[in-house]
Amino acid sequence: MWEILTTQLPTLLIGQYPSGPLGGVALTLILSVLGLSLAFPLSIVLALCRLSPFLALRLPSTVLVYVIRGIPLVMLVFWSYFLVPSLIGRTVSAFTTLTVTLVIYQAAYMSEIVRAGIQALPEGQREASRSLGLGYARTMFYVIMPQALYNMLPSLISQFVSTIKETSIGYVISVHELTYSANQVNSALLIKPLQVFVTLSVIYFVVCYSLTRTAKEIEKRINRRRKGAVSPNSGEANDPILQRQ
């Protein structure tokens, strides 16, 4: 494994770039960030529709979320691979296909995170804002969503970790992500498949474990701030700035 790391590390990190397409860890992270960032606004819309008192918004969004969450990711990849070119009338790259798939898939999962974050807030927050004359949209935008997003940070980072692992499905349509790059290394070496894929597992573990630890630290900080806000003996509770708020 050490020999593979020392000789094939550039391929695993950036693929064949600059003499070829970008790949490896770099493309995996790009796909993950792009898929998550594009899916996030859509997930907020889905979550608000699911919480809407109007059945015309709540029912279709609920059905959409449950259908997407009930379909294997590889099936969505194939649907995007064949459906998107039919809709737009021209072929699309494998990178675009996987990005579209991740956006749809992650939007469904993150909408549940957003919905749970909104519902976890005390009902008094909504009642207080409405009593001040704020409408539904302004209440959500100025009062509810900032608090909910702060509480959702650990779950969103955990979802980012899941997205990194899910990009490996791009291998089936020849997206040059980390798993595809590892297979290229394996094809070049021929006689060391175990070492190659153990190395691949180690790289995935290092990346995902680092992000998981980051999520745990953020969650601990959030919990400390919550406890400090209600503890009369804490430094934050005695802070004059917080008292004025």
Side-chain angles (χ1 to χ4, degrees):
M1 188 180 75
W2 179 252
E3 179 184 352
I4 294 172
L5 281 174
T6 55
T7 59
Q8 303 294 333
L9 187 59
T11 301
L12 294 172
L13 290 179
I14 59 174
Q16 299 174 352
Y17 188 83
S19 59
L22 182 68
V25 175
L27 188 62
T28 292
L29 293 176
I30 290 173
L31 281 166
S32 302
V33 172
L34 194 60
L36 214 63
S37 58
L38 293 178
F40 187 60
L42 183 58
S43 70
I44 294 177
V45 173
L46 284 174
L48 293 178
C49 287
R50 291 203 64 194
L51 294 172
S52 172
F54 302 106
L55 185 63
L57 293 176
R58 189 173 68 251
L59 182 60
S61 60
T62 301
V63 171
L64 179 63
V65 168
Y66 275 97
V67 168
I68 293 176
R69 286 166 61 93
I71 295 176
L73 179 58
V74 66
M75 188 66 65
L76 284 177
V77 170
F78 289 138
W79 280 7
S80 299
Y81 191 76
F82 294 109
L83 183 61
V84 173
S86 300
L87 292 176
I88 65 177
R90 61 184 181 88
T91 59
V92 295
S93 65
F95 177 87
T96 302
T97 297
L98 185 57
T99 302
V100 170
T101 303
L102 290 174
V103 169
I104 297 172
Y105 193 73
Q106 295 303 325
Y109 276 86
M110 284 197 299
S111 68
E112 292 297 276
I113 297 175
V114 176
R115 184 172 68 91
I118 292 174
Q119 290 182 319
L121 293 175
E123 187 63 29
Q125 297 283 339
R126 298 177 181 83
E127 295 174 354
S129 61
R130 299 302 291 270
S131 67
L132 293 174
L134 297 178
Y136 176 80
R138 296 179 69 186
T139 296
M140 280 294 175
F141 185 78
Y142 291 110
V143 179
I144 303 300
M145 290 306 299
Q147 299 178 74
L149 291 176
Y150 180 74
N151 293 334
M152 285 186 281
L153 278 177
S155 298
L156 292 176
I157 296 177
S158 297
Q159 193 63 33
F160 181 57
V161 173
S162 298
T163 307
I164 290 175
K165 292 181 286 187
E166 287 158 1
T167 57
S168 61
I169 203 69
Y171 168 78
V172 300
I173 54 174
S174 299
V175 178
H176 292 231
E177 40 75 47
L178 179 55
T179 303
Y180 187 90
S181 297
N183 191 63
Q184 286 183 315
V185 172
N186 182 54
S187 299
L189 297 178
L190 293 177
I191 58 173
K192 298 181 179 180
L194 179 61
Q195 294 91 323
V196 170
F197 289 105
V198 167
T199 303
L200 174 64
S201 300
V202 169
I203 294 175
Y204 271 118
F205 174 78
V206 169
V207 174
C208 294
Y209 181 75
S210 301
L211 290 170
T212 302
R213 292 301 305 172
T214 301
K216 288 185 180 296
E217 290 300 320
I218 291 176
E219 188 171 7
K220 289 179 181 178
R221 181 173 298 183
I222 291 174
N223 290 334
R224 284 198 299 266
R225 290 177 67 91
R226 285 174 179 169
K227 293 177 181 178
V230 299
S231 174
N233 297 322
S234 68
E236 290 186 5
N238 295 324
D239 191 305
I241 297 179
L242 293 178
Q243 290 177 353
R244 286 198 298 271
Q245 294 176 344

